[in-house]
């Protein structure tokens, strides 16, 4: 467990995952004009989906190189 706390990759995954969640669930200010509101909505969803895809690719890459063994072990157990 201590090795997992010292592995910076887990912190990177948490930050990118947090950005993905915030991007997907966020809603722009309703007082904005409709075009700015729509643009803000699309940008936030795009950022969230892009971060989610980036997280998926990071996990797949690090898992293939066995750089996140605790995560790999947890996935294999399920």
């Amino acid at each position: 467990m201590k090795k997992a706390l010292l592995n910076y990759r887990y912190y990177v995954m948490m930050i990118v995952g947090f950005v993905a969640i915030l991007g997907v669930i966020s809603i722009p200010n309703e007082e904005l004009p409709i075009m700015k509101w729509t643009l803000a909505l699309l940008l936030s969803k795009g950022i969230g989906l892009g971060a989610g895809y980036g997280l998926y690719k990071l996990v797949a890459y690090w898992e293939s190189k066995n750089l996140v063994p605790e995560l790999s072990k947890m996935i294999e157990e399920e």
Side-chain angles (χ1 to χ4, degrees), residues 4-5 9 11-12 40 47 50 60 78:
L5 293 175
R9 292 169 186 90
Y11 297 106
V12 171
I47 290 169
E78 290 183 5

Side-chain angles (χ1 to χ4, degrees), residues 13-26:
M13 288 188 288
M14 283 191 297
I15 292 168
V16 174
F18 185 70
V19 169
I21 290 170
L22 279 181
V24 171
I25 66 170
S26 66

Side-chain angles (χ1 to χ4, degrees), residues 71-78:
L71 181 64
S72 300
K73 182 180 175 185
M74 188 173 65
I75 290 173
E76 286 175 6
E77 288 177 358
E78 290 183 5

Side-chain angles (χ1 to χ4, degrees), residues 47-58:
I47 290 169
L49 292 175
Y53 180 72
L55 178 62
Y56 167 75
K57 295 302 276 187
L58 275 175

Side-chain angles (χ1 to χ4, degrees), residues 5-52:
L5 293 175
L6 298 176
N7 191 343
Y8 76 92
R9 292 169 186 90
Y10 292 106
Y11 297 106
V12 171
M13 288 188 288
M14 283 191 297
I15 292 168
V16 174
F18 185 70
V19 169
I21 290 170
L22 279 181
V24 171
I25 66 170
S26 66
I27 298 174
N29 186 353
E30 300 208 4
E31 295 177 6
L32 289 173
I34 190 70
M35 291 304 290
K36 286 185 179 182
W37 185 89
T38 304
L39 180 62
L41 182 72
L42 293 175
L43 282 174
S44 68
K45 302 312 169 207
I47 290 169
L49 292 175

